[in-house]
């Protein structure tokens, strides 16, 4: 994690924190997940054929369980700019965040405005297993967002907010604090 060392060298007066960021699309087309049921029978389930969704932008700090999220209508460079600006405002004055993220097009756009207290650290391509936020999406979908019919856009936003607010710092740390992150953060 050369980006962490570079951030330490570039900002010796700041406390360097390691965050990870990702986006998830959540909507009326629910995700199929496992369900216990009688052998030989298909379990009943809800099916929605509508196509309304939102995107949950999230950043977590696995070492402490800190979190930040915004529900956005689209994924784009503009949405990422809003997310980074709001995230940046919530950092402490003595903090500089190194944010690991995938290499989606809007993460590396020339129009992306990265705040001065944030350094972006692209993760290797085609390696979602390195981004611990992916485990949060799985947890939220299986525990809070599956087997539901959501009436409209506002209901989807409410469901996303409710699911996100169910996360505790302990749950985030237990799901996201991979051994390699502990080595870098230590």
């Amino acid at each position: 994690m050369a980006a962490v060392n570079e951030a330490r060298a570039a900002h010796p007066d700041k406390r360097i924190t390691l965050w990870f960021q990702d986006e998830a699309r959540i909507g009326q087309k629910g995700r199929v997940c496992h369900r216990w049921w009688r052998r030989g029978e298909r379990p009943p389930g809800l099916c929605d054929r509508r196509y309304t969704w939102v995107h949950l932008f999230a950043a977590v700090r696995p070492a402490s369980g800190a979190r930040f999220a915004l529900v956005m209508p689209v994924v784009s460079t503009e949405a990422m700019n809003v997310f980074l600006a709001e995230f940046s405002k919530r950092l402490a004055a003595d903090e500089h965040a190194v944010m690991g993220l995938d290499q989606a097009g809007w993460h590396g756009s020339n129009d992306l405005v990265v705040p001065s207290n944030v350094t972006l650290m692209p993760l290797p391509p085609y390696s979602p297993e390195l981004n611990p936020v992916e485990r949060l999406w799985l947890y939220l979908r299986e525990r809070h967002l599956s087997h539901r019919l959501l009436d409209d856009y506002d209901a989807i936003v409410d469901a996303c907010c409710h699911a996100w607010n169910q996360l505790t710092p302990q749950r985030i740390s237990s799901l996201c604090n991979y051994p390699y992150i502990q080595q870098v953060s230590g």
Side-chain angles (χ1 to χ4, degrees):
M1 299 250 179
V4 174
N5 292 330
E6 290 171 14
R8 284 185 180 134
H11 306 282
D13 57 329
K14 301 282 187 180
R15 183 173 45 96
I16 305 299
T17 55
L18 183 60
W19 292 76
F20 290 88
Q21 188 275 336
D22 199 22
E23 306 87 16
R25 186 175 76 178
I26 299 166
Q28 291 174 323
K29 272 284 192 223
R31 178 181 177 275
V32 177
C33 65
H34 297 287
R35 188 172 191 185
W36 288 96
W37 198 250
R38 285 180 284 245
R39 180 176 221 134
E41 292 181 27
R42 182 171 288 214
L46 303 172
C47 180
D48 198 342
R49 298 193 177 178
R50 296 172 290 176
Y51 288 96
T52 302
W53 53 72
V54 299
H55 299 271
L56 183 57
F57 282 64
V60 298
R61 184 174 171 214
S64 67
R67 65 198 170 138
F68 175 75
L70 288 178
V71 178
M72 306 289 263
V74 296
V75 289
S76 65
T77 301
E78 294 81 19
M80 189 66 183
N81 282 336
V82 170
F83 177 80
L84 288 173
E86 292 299 318
F87 172 78
S88 170
K89 290 178 191 175
R90 284 160 179 77
L91 294 175
D94 68 332
E95 183 177 2
H96 185 88
V98 174
M99 184 178 288
L101 39 68
D102 59 23
Q103 294 188 30
W106 53 89
H107 293 164
S109 169
N110 291 334
D111 296 331
L112 189 65
V113 179
V114 181
S116 61
N117 59 347
V118 176
T119 298
L120 299 183
M121 177 183 63
L123 296 171
Y126 308 107
S127 57
E129 67 278 1
L130 294 179
N131 192 339
V133 183
E134 297 286 349
R135 291 189 64 193
L136 283 184
W137 301 147
L138 180 65
Y139 176 81
L140 289 176
R141 285 184 170 119
E142 287 193 357
R143 303 289 173 137
H144 299 284
L145 297 169
S146 62
H147 301 295
R148 300 179 65 183
L149 289 179
L150 301 168
D151 291 331
D152 57 9
Y153 182 85
D154 292 332
I156 298 167
V157 171
D158 290 343
C160 287
C161 293
H162 178 73
W164 184 258
N165 289 332
Q166 297 303 307
L167 291 172
T168 63
Q170 296 81 13
R171 175 67 64 192
I172 290 170
S173 288
S174 72
L175 289 170
C176 298
N177 207 4
Y178 294 172
Y180 82 91
I181 295 171
Q182 294 172 5
Q183 292 172 358
V184 172
S185 297

